Amino acid sequence: MAKKKKEAKKLNELEDEARAFLEKMNEAADADDASIAARKPATKKLAMLPQVLEMLAKKDMIRPLLDLELLSVCKRWVQPLPNGSLGNVTLRHRIIEAISGLTGETGVNASDLKRSGFGKVAMTLYMHKSETPAMKKMLKNSIEQWSRPIFQKSGNMKDLERVQASRRDRGLVGIALAQKQMESGSGSGARAAAGGKTEDDLQNIISGQSKAANDIGNNRVRVPYSKGFQFTVRPM
């Protein structure tokens, strides 16, 4: 007798299953947060990890999970602890590896990253002084992968570093340079000097406010600098 083919679940059934599962993930995160506050071992997320990986391997569940804020929940699972230190490395590794594997039409997109802030946490971990070399390599690859559709280029990490360097330099000469280029009619140059849409999108989606990423695990004194001058009438 032929085996009866399993019927595909309807969208509302997938959404209900995704919603219930994400609630369990949040409960595990809440329990671990309470344990950390009480200075007790936090093991709920790690114990649930195999179930999470199994769920993320189901192709029909990917988009319902993402639409119901999977990345926001995963952000809670991998972000640094309240004191700035890093949590369990196995948990970070397996979750970020799984998220990086959610590609294709139903996979992670720029809207998911921007809405959840997961890209910002990935950048924070990448820049953390205590992150392991292996994790930094994985995070770098993930950030480049998520940057690629924004840049519409190779997504090389050097592009991201160029954006950050451009924003630093802009504090000194960007305003004056943008004004000069606009006066000469170079619209594209002005947009590049003033921080074009592509660079702003990357900064917002991948790293968010870079100050937050730099501050975690880094207590260096910041030296203020001039933002340059902007003249409406050229000085004599």
Side-chain angles (χ1 to χ4, degrees):
M1 183 176 177
K3 186 177 179 180
K4 186 177 179 180
K5 185 177 180 181
K6 187 177 180 180
E7 293 184 5
K9 293 181 180 180
K10 296 180 180 179
L11 178 60
N12 63 327
E13 294 175 328
L14 295 174
E15 290 176 343
D16 289 343
E17 184 177 352
R19 190 175 290 106
F21 190 80
L22 292 174
E23 182 60 30
K24 290 181 180 179
M25 289 183 68
N26 269 321
E27 289 174 358
D30 289 339
D32 278 359
D33 288 347
S35 295
I36 291 171
R39 298 181 180 277
K40 295 179 180 180
T43 60
K44 295 296 184 181
K45 294 196 296 290
L46 193 59
M48 190 180 176
L49 181 59
Q51 300 175 50
V52 174
L53 299 178
E54 182 180 355
M55 178 63 75
L56 296 183
K58 299 179 179 180
K59 293 184 178 180
D60 60 343
M61 290 298 298
I62 294 176
R63 183 37 56 184
L65 285 166
L66 289 170
D67 288 342
L68 292 169
E69 307 304 335
L70 167 68
L71 295 188
S72 294
V73 179
C74 287
K75 179 177 70 173
R76 295 189 63 195
W77 278 47
V78 302
Q79 66 189 3
L81 303 180
N83 64 2
S85 63
L86 298 178
N88 185 278
V89 66
T90 299
L91 190 68
R92 294 198 310 281
H93 182 278
R94 299 304 299 276
I95 289 292
I96 292 173
E97 182 180 50
I99 295 299
S100 297
L102 302 182
T103 57
E105 293 183 0
T106 62
V108 175
N109 57 40
S111 178
D112 297 324
L113 291 167
K114 185 174 183 179
R115 188 174 67 251
S116 66
F118 190 82
K120 177 181 176 181
V121 169
M123 179 63 72
T124 296
L125 295 173
Y126 175 73
M127 297 175 69
H128 200 290
K129 63 180 182 180
S130 299
E131 189 57 276
T132 67
M135 278 299 302
K136 282 182 177 288
K137 182 178 180 180
M138 175 184 290
L139 287 161
K140 177 182 180 226
N141 291 337
S142 297
I143 292 168
E144 289 181 348
Q145 172 185 318
W146 297 330
S147 303
R148 193 169 295 118
I150 302 170
F151 275 119
Q152 296 181 347
K153 293 181 180 179
S154 65
N156 192 285
M157 196 65 176
K158 291 181 179 179
D159 290 331
L160 180 57
E161 293 170 355
R162 177 180 58 78
V163 170
Q164 294 172 329
S166 174
R167 284 178 170 266
R168 288 194 300 268
D169 295 342
R170 203 183 314 147
L172 293 174
V173 299
I175 296 175
L177 181 58
Q179 182 179 10
K180 180 178 178 181
Q181 290 177 327
M182 282 190 294
E183 289 172 353
S184 66
S186 178
S188 60
R191 284 194 299 272
K197 184 177 185 298
T198 299
E199 295 184 354
D200 283 340
D201 285 347
L202 175 66
Q203 190 71 7
N204 290 333
I205 295 169
I206 300 300
S207 64
Q209 294 297 321
S210 59
K211 180 179 183 298
N214 286 324
D215 285 346
I216 294 182
N218 186 353
N219 295 322
R220 295 177 182 174
V221 175
R222 296 181 179 276
V223 179
Y225 54 81
S226 169
K227 292 188 177 181
F229 299 93
Q230 181 176 10
F231 297 101
T232 55
V233 178
R234 188 179 300 278
M236 300 298 293

